[in-house]
Amino acid sequence: MHMADALISPAVGLTMWAVAGGSVARAVRRLRNETAELPVPRMGLLGAFVFAAQMINFSIPGTGSSGHLAGGLLLTLLLGSDAAILVMAAVLTIQALLFADGGLLALGCNIVNMAVIPSYVAYPLVYRPLAAFSNSSSARRRLATVLAAIVGVELGAFAVVVETLLSGVTPLSFATFAALMLPIHLAIGLVEGIATVAVVEWLERVRPETVREPAQAESRLAAVIGLAALFIAGILSWLASSRPDGLEWSLQRTAPGWEESPPPSKLHAALARVQQRTSWFPDYDFTSPGEQEPANETAAWPAVSLGTSLAGVLGSVIVLGATVAIGLLVRPRSRQAPTP
Amino acid sequence: MSQCTSNLWSAALHADDLARRDTWLHRLDPRTHVTITVAYLLAVLSLPLHDLSRLILLAAYPIWTALAGGVPFAYLARRVAIAAPWIVLVAVSWIWLDRRPLVPGHPWPTAGCLAAASLLARLALTVAAASLLLALTGLSGLTSGLLGMRVPPLCVAQLWILHRYALVLSDEAARLLRARALRSAGRRLTWRQAGTLLGQLCVRAFDRAERVHRAMEMRGFDGHSLRAFEICTRRLRATDLAYASAMILWILWARFGDGAAGLGRRLMQLAP
């Protein structure tokens, strides 16, 4: 899921850097204000643990394949959201610098996809409401962990799709790209969840003090607002997709001959072309592309509407994140001096 | 498995070793290199996807820097190869999906080929630029540069501890895996056993963190000021400013100027 520099445009990269930077700044300030003594070495060592944990490959039941822990959710459960974001950001930075795994301009994207989404979206919106008031190692806690892992990984994968498409570097249509990415990451999220459950339960048996109790929905308001935004965005984009060709229709009305005029740029032309081609994606294994006429567009609509709804959801998450980040940046400084 | 990881790590540490060289580029301030690299990445990535000619011009920067900094091209090539697979997939999808001819009347090469070539060039240039940044500054230089750029010391401390202890904990993981392999008669690792191993590793990380923390407290670390990590950053010198502005001007010229294309046109006019 690590994005490379070559696949993003500066606009997307810098926007995501702003979101990631805002989230990290928020995490740092909250840690400074709220924690009596920062567990700095513990955070660093758990980051190193996430590195080392990727060596331990285990077989996935029912399939022939194997997987490993990615660690975003586990760190959140062990350290809390704020510290987990800092640790994951450091892990991703080291991976980008030392292992060429993920780019520098894409680091903001990677921090958002793999640190901010699990810690600030999946954990408070999925894990906390589900796991609140539950006993450790109860079925409800397990379910909450697995679901939070799946939601975190799927939203992260979705963000990859949206960031790549917004950068305009892939010829794949949104629906095709999402259909490629999401099922794979469903399986990855499931594995992540199961591995997290296994580690947390083992730690609770051996070192109960290391696992943090789920807070009793302290930021319920934030969760409610977030869910409402997701819901509204989903509904709105679904409604929007029921009139898919509104823009095209209005352009034709306002500018006769619009269809014949050359598209504004080569890239735009390429994307339009590709969109036409991928609209008959289900058959493209059977016929050679040259012979096939583009199918009429209405046939592709039922398949696209779900993707559009999800895009609205993700867009709202991104806009929400960007707004929060900008708000935090322009907010007046707290009385506490930032660094002596 | 541990062999593979240690190879990976030794390659990664090799990148840090390159930063110990003493060329005039290495003597520049890390912030200079960070600024130039960011400007360069923005210039490369802001090009339209089908603009291959300017990418070729922009390749001059990594080549010049690798030469002046004594960074072996094999190292850069290795790093590009590591980052390549996913982007090669996207490049192939361009060739597959965009088959409009570039030149009317000739079916080959197609626009998709141009996009794919340009994507691979972007991959090579961006990974090379990022790798050169590390090879010129090293992680310690980079982190002190980050402190100078007002990144919170808490974040820099994370980078430091992670860099120091990732190898140590990877060794612990390798020991755990070896111990299990000797007792398991070749059976595969189930997810429950993996939970136990990972938990073990996590407990070892906690214990080591405890020891590190005590050692840090003995040396004046108080949990908040992070004074131990605040390395004094020097002031930027005139050479730093001069080099940074020269490079950024060059990058701007290569990105926006018409110089190279004009040169090409003039050469074509000269040809009979």
Side-chain angles (χ1 to χ4, degrees):
Chain A
M1 214 154 96
H2 291 72
M3 294 179 79
D5 277 340
L7 284 182
I8 60 163
S9 69
V12 171
L14 292 179
T15 310
M16 299 316 272
W17 255 106
V19 177
S23 307
V24 168
R26 174 182 192 262
V28 169
R29 207 183 42 243
R30 275 170 54 109
L31 280 174
R32 270 206 204 112
N33 291 346
E34 288 174 10
T35 320
E37 191 182 3
L38 284 175
V40 175
R42 174 176 284 195
M43 288 161 63
L45 265 295
L46 278 177
F49 159 75
V50 165
F51 256 101
Q54 313 205 335
M55 288 169 66
I56 299 182
N57 266 290
F58 51 90
S59 59
I60 299 166
T63 66
S65 60
S66 63
H68 66 73
L69 189 76
L73 185 64
L74 181 66
L75 286 177
T76 312
L77 294 181
L78 296 180
L79 292 167
S81 305
D82 298 317
I85 283 199
L86 295 192
V87 175
M88 277 308 281
V91 168
L92 293 166
T93 309
I94 293 281
Q95 282 175 337
L97 285 173
L98 292 187
F99 296 98
D101 196 4
L104 291 186
L105 198 64
L107 187 59
C109 293
N110 288 328
I111 290 177
V112 170
N113 303 347
M114 282 180 275
V116 175
I117 287 179
S119 296
Y120 276 174
V121 179
Y123 177 73
L125 296 188
V126 178
Y127 180 83
R128 264 207 206 142
L130 282 176
F133 307 112
S134 66
N135 295 325
S136 61
S137 82
S138 69
R140 191 149 69 107
R141 179 81 69 88
R142 286 182 181 179
L143 182 73
T145 311
V146 172
L147 274 183
I150 290 176
V151 168
V153 171
E154 283 283 280
L155 276 180
F158 215 84
V160 171
V161 171
V162 172
E163 286 153 6
T164 312
L165 285 172
L166 285 180
S167 300
V169 291
T170 168
L172 297 174
S173 74
F174 175 78
T176 314
F177 198 5
L180 286 174
M181 286 286 281
L182 295 189
I184 298 171
H185 284 88
L186 188 67
I188 293 175
L190 190 65
V191 170
E192 173 79 7
I194 291 173
T196 308
V197 168
V199 176
V200 168
E201 288 190 359
W202 194 87
L203 280 178
E204 264 172 347
R205 253 201 343 268
V206 183
R207 294 276 176 97
E209 76 281 1
T210 55
V211 182
R212 285 166 66 103
E213 286 297 304
Q216 310 293 327
E218 61 191 40
S219 57
R220 175 112 347 141
L221 182 67
V224 168
I225 293 172
L227 280 179
L230 287 175
F231 185 70
I232 291 168
I235 296 277
L236 279 184
S237 53
W238 180 71
L239 283 177
S241 71
S242 66
R243 253 333 270 277
D245 45 3
L247 181 65
E248 238 170 79
W249 176 80
S250 59
L251 272 174
Q252 272 175 334
R253 284 309 272 301
T254 50
W258 167 76
E259 268 190 319
E260 285 78 28
S261 67
S265 72
K266 283 178 188 166
L267 181 66
H268 182 94
L271 286 177
R273 179 104 179 159
V274 159
Q275 200 180 9
Q276 277 186 342
R277 298 217 154 178
T278 48
S279 62
W280 40 266
F281 170 69
D283 322 323
Y284 89 75
D285 278 341
F286 309 112
T287 49
S288 84
E291 297 160 9
Q292 182 93 16
E293 286 296 315
N296 61 356
E297 298 206 345
T298 49
W301 270 106
V304 178
S305 61
L306 173 68
T308 324
S309 304
L310 289 173
V313 169
L314 196 79
S316 77
V317 168
I318 290 172
V319 172
L320 192 70
T323 317
V324 168
I326 292 167
L328 287 169
L329 285 177
V330 299
R331 202 176 89 147
R333 300 266 144 210
S334 59
R335 271 160 292 148
Q336 212 167 343
T339 319
Chain B
M1 199 181 293
S2 65
Q3 182 63 37
C4 153
T5 310
S6 65
N7 279 347
L8 202 64
W9 268 102
S10 68
L13 294 173
H14 179 60
D16 224 26
D17 285 347
L18 286 172
R20 294 210 193 96
R21 296 203 175 174
D22 189 30
T23 67
W24 62 272
L25 272 181
H26 284 86
R27 283 193 290 273
L28 291 174
D29 193 282
R31 283 169 285 179
T32 311
H33 293 302
V34 171
T35 314
I36 297 170
T37 307
V38 169
Y40 180 74
L41 289 178
L42 290 176
V44 168
L45 296 174
S46 65
L47 281 173
L49 195 55
H50 290 83
D51 196 344
L52 192 56
S53 58
R54 277 182 208 273
L55 281 180
I56 296 170
L57 178 62
L58 280 163
Y61 164 74
I63 294 173
W64 145 254
T65 314
L67 291 174
V71 179
F73 284 100
Y75 155 75
L76 297 180
R78 240 190 341 263
R79 309 253 306 180
V80 171
I82 293 172
W86 175 240
I87 295 177
V88 167
L89 219 63
V90 179
V92 168
S93 76
W94 268 110
I95 298 176
W96 179 255
L97 289 168
D98 189 355
R99 299 189 184 176
R100 292 168 303 152
L102 268 184
V103 188
H106 296 273
W108 204 258
T110 61
C113 293
L114 184 64
S118 155
L119 207 54
L120 293 179
R122 280 157 68 111
L123 163 77
L125 297 188
T126 52
V127 174
S131 309
L132 283 167
L133 174 66
L134 182 69
L136 291 180
T137 60
L139 203 76
S140 58
L142 208 54
T143 44
S144 71
L146 289 179
L147 282 174
M149 292 166 121
R150 314 261 163 201
V151 173
L154 184 55
C155 299
V156 178
Q158 290 307 307
L159 287 177
W160 264 109
I161 301 178
L162 194 53
H163 185 223
R164 294 275 161 88
Y165 286 97
L167 188 56
V168 175
L169 277 188
S170 296
D171 279 348
E172 302 244 2
R175 274 198 289 278
L176 282 172
L177 284 171
R178 202 179 312 129
R180 185 201 155 270
L182 288 172
R183 292 163 179 79
S184 64
R187 276 190 295 273
R188 296 186 69 187
L189 187 60
T190 66
W191 68 273
R192 277 215 168 272
Q193 292 168 352
T196 308
L197 288 190
L198 287 166
Q200 276 279 4
L201 191 63
C202 203
V203 165
R204 292 186 189 190
F206 275 127
D207 291 345
R208 194 175 284 269
E210 224 32 64
R211 290 207 296 280
V212 172
H213 192 109
R214 253 176 270 138
M216 281 163 69
E217 275 177 339
M218 299 286 283
R219 289 160 179 79
F221 169 76
D222 65 1
H224 263 283
S225 76
L226 301 169
R227 217 169 286 127
F229 291 99
E230 287 175 49
I231 305 155
C232 285
T233 47
R234 56 182 186 207
R235 289 171 60 87
L236 287 173
R237 289 166 308 183
T239 43
D240 289 311
L241 293 175
Y243 185 70
S245 19
M247 290 311 286
I248 287 173
L249 279 178
W250 181 84
I251 289 168
L252 284 175
W253 173 80
R255 169 65 184 79
F256 296 106
D258 196 35
L263 188 69
R265 272 197 300 275
R266 227 161 287 153
L267 281 177
M268 279 167 59
Q269 279 166 3
L270 283 183

